[in-house]
Amino acid sequence: MQLPDRFTRRSLLFRAAGLAVAGAGAATWEVEEAGAGPRAVSSGAVSCILSPEMTEGPYYLPREAVRRNITEGKPGTPLTLHLSVVNASMCKPIKGAAVDVWHADASGVYSGVQGVTGTFLRGIQRTDANGLALFDTIYPGWYRGRAVHIHVKVHLGGNVVHTGQFFFSDALTDEVYKSAPYSSRGNPDVTDAADSIYRNGGSKSLLSVKKSGSGYVGSIVMGVHTG
Ligand code: FE
């Protein structure tokens, strides 16, 4: 049942923001200020929404290693991922979900496919009681035809409950790619706005990125359906 579900999420969003729902039957957001409404959702202030599903692409491999550090010595700007999984209907953190990530190295290459050996830049972590999974990796490189991205799958109880891709702002990519080892390849041939997958919900899959030491921390909350 889509309708009750939508209203449940909506009222929870208002509750999370400490606001009363003005009219439970109304089909639009009544409150746009003080941390509620679509603007707050897109800014990340309120994040209990269903993450958009996106293609897993051609380079997924099952049975990746369970490990926090997936770099295997691959050079690049350090990136720590703070990936949270919540139930998109109840807004509750999900403990014990297996978060599976994979991405290209600084030269735009994936491990284990297309004749490339190794398992670099692939891994799985279980979410903790706060729904949080952490990875230590590097900022991804780009490959032809795609904006910079990281692939993700979330497994729960043996089922895949989410398949998505994380994106970075073009401005951040431009900044990171000024340095080696990225600088020798120039900038991606596709911006976020020009990316066919980003155009279908990618703005809800932008990592929130903060500088940290010589690298960055990228955070996002994934709202998933569990049933
Ligand atoms: Fe990819």
Side-chain angles (χ1 to χ4, degrees), residues 58-59 102 110 143 146 149 151 165:
Y59 304 131
W102 67 104
Y110 287 87
Y143 57 96
R146 288 299 319 277
H149 62 278
H151 295 270
Q165 300 188 16

PDB file of all heavy atoms in Angstrom, residues 58-59 102 110 143 146 149 151 165, ligand 1:
ATOM      1  N   PRO A  58      27.887  -3.049 -14.829  1.00  0.00           N
ATOM      2  CA  PRO A  58      28.441  -4.334 -15.282  1.00  0.00           C
ATOM      3  C   PRO A  58      29.551  -4.899 -14.402  1.00  0.00           C
ATOM      4  O   PRO A  58      30.037  -5.989 -14.683  1.00  0.00           O
ATOM      5  CB  PRO A  58      29.000  -3.981 -16.664  1.00  0.00           C
ATOM      6  CG  PRO A  58      29.357  -2.539 -16.577  1.00  0.00           C
ATOM      7  CD  PRO A  58      28.394  -1.913 -15.612  1.00  0.00           C
ATOM      8  N   TYR A  59      29.948  -4.205 -13.346  1.00  0.00           N
ATOM      9  CA  TYR A  59      31.179  -4.619 -12.656  1.00  0.00           C
ATOM     10  C   TYR A  59      30.970  -5.144 -11.247  1.00  0.00           C
ATOM     11  O   TYR A  59      31.896  -5.212 -10.457  1.00  0.00           O
ATOM     12  CB  TYR A  59      32.180  -3.454 -12.632  1.00  0.00           C
ATOM     13  CG  TYR A  59      32.486  -2.924 -14.006  1.00  0.00           C
ATOM     14  CD1 TYR A  59      32.449  -1.569 -14.279  1.00  0.00           C
ATOM     15  CD2 TYR A  59      32.792  -3.803 -15.043  1.00  0.00           C
ATOM     16  CE1 TYR A  59      32.716  -1.081 -15.545  1.00  0.00           C
ATOM     17  CE2 TYR A  59      33.051  -3.330 -16.318  1.00  0.00           C
ATOM     18  CZ  TYR A  59      33.012  -1.968 -16.568  1.00  0.00           C
ATOM     19  OH  TYR A  59      33.273  -1.498 -17.827  1.00  0.00           O
ATOM     20  N   TRP A 102      31.771  -0.951  -4.223  1.00  0.00           N
ATOM     21  CA  TRP A 102      32.845  -1.175  -5.197  1.00  0.00           C
ATOM     22  C   TRP A 102      32.974   0.062  -6.071  1.00  0.00           C
ATOM     23  O   TRP A 102      31.984   0.741  -6.354  1.00  0.00           O
ATOM     24  CB  TRP A 102      32.618  -2.443  -6.020  1.00  0.00           C
ATOM     25  CG  TRP A 102      31.464  -2.479  -6.970  1.00  0.00           C
ATOM     26  CD1 TRP A 102      31.518  -2.364  -8.333  1.00  0.00           C
ATOM     27  CD2 TRP A 102      30.072  -2.684  -6.670  1.00  0.00           C
ATOM     28  NE1 TRP A 102      30.261  -2.479  -8.879  1.00  0.00           N
ATOM     29  CE2 TRP A 102      29.352  -2.677  -7.881  1.00  0.00           C
ATOM     30  CE3 TRP A 102      29.343  -2.859  -5.477  1.00  0.00           C
ATOM     31  CZ2 TRP A 102      27.965  -2.842  -7.958  1.00  0.00           C
ATOM     32  CZ3 TRP A 102      27.960  -3.022  -5.549  1.00  0.00           C
ATOM     33  CH2 TRP A 102      27.293  -3.016  -6.771  1.00  0.00           C
ATOM     34  N   TYR A 110      38.273  -1.033 -12.534  1.00  0.00           N
ATOM     35  CA  TYR A 110      37.726  -1.892 -11.477  1.00  0.00           C
ATOM     36  C   TYR A 110      38.561  -3.154 -11.361  1.00  0.00           C
ATOM     37  O   TYR A 110      39.041  -3.691 -12.370  1.00  0.00           O
ATOM     38  CB  TYR A 110      36.295  -2.313 -11.810  1.00  0.00           C
ATOM     39  CG  TYR A 110      35.257  -1.237 -11.660  1.00  0.00           C
ATOM     40  CD1 TYR A 110      34.974  -0.363 -12.699  1.00  0.00           C
ATOM     41  CD2 TYR A 110      34.544  -1.102 -10.470  1.00  0.00           C
ATOM     42  CE1 TYR A 110      34.004   0.620 -12.564  1.00  0.00           C
ATOM     43  CE2 TYR A 110      33.580  -0.125 -10.327  1.00  0.00           C
ATOM     44  CZ  TYR A 110      33.313   0.738 -11.374  1.00  0.00           C
ATOM     45  OH  TYR A 110      32.369   1.712 -11.242  1.00  0.00           O
ATOM     46  N   TYR A 143      35.784   6.980 -15.336  1.00  0.00           N
ATOM     47  CA  TYR A 143      35.946   6.262 -16.601  1.00  0.00           C
ATOM     48  C   TYR A 143      34.958   6.815 -17.617  1.00  0.00           C
ATOM     49  O   TYR A 143      34.001   7.493 -17.269  1.00  0.00           O
ATOM     50  CB  TYR A 143      35.829   4.747 -16.435  1.00  0.00           C
ATOM     51  CG  TYR A 143      34.552   4.223 -15.822  1.00  0.00           C
ATOM     52  CD1 TYR A 143      33.501   3.764 -16.622  1.00  0.00           C
ATOM     53  CD2 TYR A 143      34.400   4.140 -14.441  1.00  0.00           C
ATOM     54  CE1 TYR A 143      32.349   3.250 -16.059  1.00  0.00           C
ATOM     55  CE2 TYR A 143      33.243   3.628 -13.870  1.00  0.00           C
ATOM     56  CZ  TYR A 143      32.221   3.185 -14.688  1.00  0.00           C
ATOM     57  OH  TYR A 143      31.086   2.679 -14.136  1.00  0.00           O
ATOM     58  N   ARG A 146      30.858   8.240 -17.685  1.00  0.00           N
ATOM     59  CA  ARG A 146      30.198   8.275 -16.391  1.00  0.00           C
ATOM     60  C   ARG A 146      30.761   9.391 -15.509  1.00  0.00           C
ATOM     61  O   ARG A 146      31.954   9.673 -15.530  1.00  0.00           O
ATOM     62  CB  ARG A 146      30.399   6.941 -15.630  1.00  0.00           C
ATOM     63  CG  ARG A 146      29.630   5.741 -16.162  1.00  0.00           C
ATOM     64  CD  ARG A 146      28.103   5.914 -16.141  1.00  0.00           C
ATOM     65  NE  ARG A 146      27.589   6.565 -14.950  1.00  0.00           N
ATOM     66  CZ  ARG A 146      27.344   5.967 -13.787  1.00  0.00           C
ATOM     67  NH1 ARG A 146      27.550   4.675 -13.669  1.00  0.00           N
ATOM     68  NH2 ARG A 146      26.866   6.647 -12.771  1.00  0.00           N
ATOM     69  N   HIS A 149      31.574   8.055  -9.323  1.00  0.00           N
ATOM     70  CA  HIS A 149      30.564   7.388  -8.494  1.00  0.00           C
ATOM     71  C   HIS A 149      31.154   6.205  -7.748  1.00  0.00           C
ATOM     72  O   HIS A 149      32.227   5.698  -8.090  1.00  0.00           O
ATOM     73  CB  HIS A 149      29.399   6.906  -9.366  1.00  0.00           C
ATOM     74  CG  HIS A 149      29.827   5.897 -10.402  1.00  0.00           C
ATOM     75  ND1 HIS A 149      30.388   6.259 -11.600  1.00  0.00           N
ATOM     76  CD2 HIS A 149      29.800   4.538 -10.404  1.00  0.00           C
ATOM     77  CE1 HIS A 149      30.686   5.179 -12.298  1.00  0.00           C
ATOM     78  NE2 HIS A 149      30.349   4.118 -11.599  1.00  0.00           N
ATOM     79  N   HIS A 151      29.587   2.435  -6.318  1.00  0.00           N
ATOM     80  CA  HIS A 151      28.422   1.536  -6.330  1.00  0.00           C
ATOM     81  C   HIS A 151      28.163   0.999  -4.932  1.00  0.00           C
ATOM     82  O   HIS A 151      29.095   0.800  -4.149  1.00  0.00           O
ATOM     83  CB  HIS A 151      28.689   0.341  -7.248  1.00  0.00           C
ATOM     84  CG  HIS A 151      28.833   0.716  -8.690  1.00  0.00           C
ATOM     85  ND1 HIS A 151      27.772   0.768  -9.558  1.00  0.00           N
ATOM     86  CD2 HIS A 151      29.933   1.064  -9.407  1.00  0.00           C
ATOM     87  CE1 HIS A 151      28.210   1.117 -10.763  1.00  0.00           C
ATOM     88  NE2 HIS A 151      29.517   1.307 -10.694  1.00  0.00           N
ATOM     89  N   GLN A 165      24.017   4.094  -6.307  1.00  0.00           N
ATOM     90  CA  GLN A 165      25.322   4.678  -6.612  1.00  0.00           C
ATOM     91  C   GLN A 165      25.429   5.991  -5.855  1.00  0.00           C
ATOM     92  O   GLN A 165      24.455   6.732  -5.757  1.00  0.00           O
ATOM     93  CB  GLN A 165      25.466   4.935  -8.120  1.00  0.00           C
ATOM     94  CG  GLN A 165      25.339   3.663  -8.952  1.00  0.00           C
ATOM     95  CD  GLN A 165      25.664   3.867 -10.426  1.00  0.00           C
ATOM     96  OE1 GLN A 165      26.260   4.873 -10.822  1.00  0.00           O
ATOM     97  NE2 GLN A 165      25.276   2.901 -11.244  1.00  0.00           N
TER      98      GLN A 165
HETATM   99 FE    FE B   1      30.739   2.126 -12.175  1.00  0.00          FE
END
